[in-house]
Amino acid sequence: MNRSKVFTPRAIALTLLLAALLIAPFVMDGYMMQIAVYCGIYVMLAASLNLLIGYTGIFSMGHVAFYCLGAYTSSLLATKMKWSFIWCFLAAGIVAGIAGALVGIATLRLNDLFLTFATMGLSEVVRIVIQNAKFTNGALGVTGIPQPAFFGISIGRTGCYYLTLAMVLLSVFVIYRLVHSNTGRTLMTIRDDAGVAASLGINVFAYKMKAMIISCFIAGLAGSIYASFVQYINASNFSLNVSINIVAMVAIGGMGTISGPIIGAVLLQILPEAIRFLDNYRQLLFGAALVISVMFAPKGLVGLPWSKLGAKLRPVKKENS
């Protein structure tokens, strides 16, 4: 094996980053731990939405609905049926995936504009139904959600951090493998021109459905982690603003890239904490950041020519006369 290929700067940086993430709980306080878990949850949501928007060309504004379904499925099974966490976790992904398939059947044949509004409307319908249904405790929400436990032992908040980290790594790895496979290349062909893809004999609807189900499945898992971590959920936690934030994370980080949604999710989770004193204007700032990103960095932060910018910022060495 060529060692130069193993010890590349990128490989070394990723190894150091992983090591830092593994030891982070030992140096973080409770508040920082909470922010770190939220970052991981939103990385899962942004990466899964990017599979739709960035790689398949499905502009969905209703991703929060599947996040919500995953959270409520896991919570209700844990509190009312007393299911163990692993089964609640898997059920959350399955229910969200099935819901994604049903939404896909209803919307994926619409054009882009109508699909966007349809998914936006469906997400609000899901939220309103959950907020008013008796079996979900209505506006009171679900309380007393147990933290994840394995073999009867609760893993606590530190365990939730490592669980979230593991699921982030697994989700990103699955999406990475998918987009670098024949299926991924087909999805990108559909994204670039669905008409050409159809003329090549590709079943456009079937491939879009695959992307939809996988994306929604991951969003459902993220919902389960969120519910078990905060131990209380309410329909108001899953408003349209959450969908807007997830879209902003994908757009600002970089659509159609693996690292873009990760960067966008972490940035837009940490930045609001730094500007908490502007609480009433945070959504306005998110909207402004999204517009600026689309206008001046359509490929997101990842797409900026960092090497050229770095070269311009380096001081010019004067030649000795």
Side-chain angles (χ1 to χ4, degrees):
M1 183 182 293
N2 189 345
R3 291 192 177 186
S4 63
K5 293 183 178 181
V6 177
F7 297 103
T8 61
R10 177 177 292 183
I12 294 171
L14 289 175
T15 302
L16 292 174
L17 176 61
L18 179 59
L21 291 173
L22 290 173
I23 65 173
F26 299 101
V27 296
M28 291 191 299
D29 58 21
Y31 177 71
M32 292 177 64
M33 180 86 72
Q34 177 176 308
I35 298 301
V37 172
Y38 287 168
C39 282
I41 290 169
Y42 274 93
V43 167
M44 291 177 67
L45 291 170
S48 58
L49 181 61
N50 184 49
L51 180 62
L52 294 181
I53 296 178
Y55 288 107
T56 315
I58 302 172
F59 198 90
S60 171
M61 283 292 292
H63 211 52
V64 68
F66 310 107
Y67 177 43
C68 177
L69 286 171
Y72 267 89
T73 298
S74 179
S75 302
L76 293 173
L77 290 175
T79 56
K80 294 190 175 184
M81 304 297 291
K82 307 302 180 183
W83 283 22
S84 63
F85 172 75
I86 187 65
W87 296 114
C88 295
F89 184 63
L90 292 174
I94 292 169
V95 169
I98 292 172
L102 295 176
V103 170
I105 291 171
T107 63
L108 288 181
R109 289 190 173 91
L110 300 175
N111 65 33
D112 293 342
L113 182 60
F114 286 109
L115 188 149
T116 301
F117 283 114
T119 52
M120 185 188 302
L122 285 169
S123 71
E124 281 298 286
V125 168
V126 168
R127 186 184 66 81
I128 291 169
V129 169
I130 286 176
Q131 190 169 16
N132 291 280
K134 289 185 179 180
F135 73 93
T136 62
N137 295 331
L140 297 176
V142 184
T143 60
I145 304 167
Q147 286 188 334
F150 296 94
F151 305 106
I153 302 173
S154 176
I155 61 175
R157 293 175 73 83
T158 302
C160 285
Y161 169 86
Y162 284 117
L163 172 65
T164 306
L165 177 60
M167 291 312 304
V168 166
L169 294 175
L170 181 60
S171 300
V172 171
F173 176 75
V174 168
I175 292 171
Y176 175 84
R177 294 292 297 174
L178 177 66
V179 300
H180 286 85
S181 66
N182 289 333
T183 299
R185 285 185 281 273
T186 302
L187 292 177
M188 285 182 273
T189 302
I190 293 170
R191 174 199 65 190
D192 294 336
D193 196 321
V196 171
S199 68
L200 294 172
I202 296 172
N203 189 333
V204 173
F205 179 76
Y207 276 95
K208 285 185 174 182
M209 281 291 290
K210 288 179 184 178
M212 191 80 173
I213 292 170
I214 294 170
S215 175
C216 295
F217 180 84
I218 294 173
L221 297 182
S224 177
I225 294 173
Y226 171 75
S228 60
F229 180 71
V230 300
Q231 298 184 279
Y232 167 76
I233 57 170
N234 185 286
S236 61
N237 300 137
F238 307 97
S239 66
L240 184 61
N241 285 338
V242 178
S243 269
I244 294 172
N245 290 346
I246 301 170
V247 172
M249 290 169 184
V250 176
I252 291 171
M255 294 184 187
T257 65
I258 295 296
S259 59
I262 299 173
I263 294 171
V266 172
L267 180 65
L268 291 188
Q269 272 297 295
I270 294 176
L271 186 60
E273 300 305 316
I275 57 172
R276 183 167 287 279
F277 62 95
L278 297 174
D279 185 64
N280 294 331
Y281 302 97
R282 284 196 291 176
Q283 290 301 325
L284 179 62
L285 291 174
F286 277 168
L290 185 57
V291 171
I292 292 170
S293 175
V294 171
M295 290 178 62
F296 300 103
K299 294 183 180 180
L301 294 174
V302 173
L304 291 174
W306 294 105
S307 59
K308 293 181 180 179
L309 290 173
K312 290 180 179 179
L313 293 174
R314 291 192 202 103
V316 178
K317 295 181 180 179
K318 295 181 179 180
E319 294 183 1
N320 294 327
S321 57

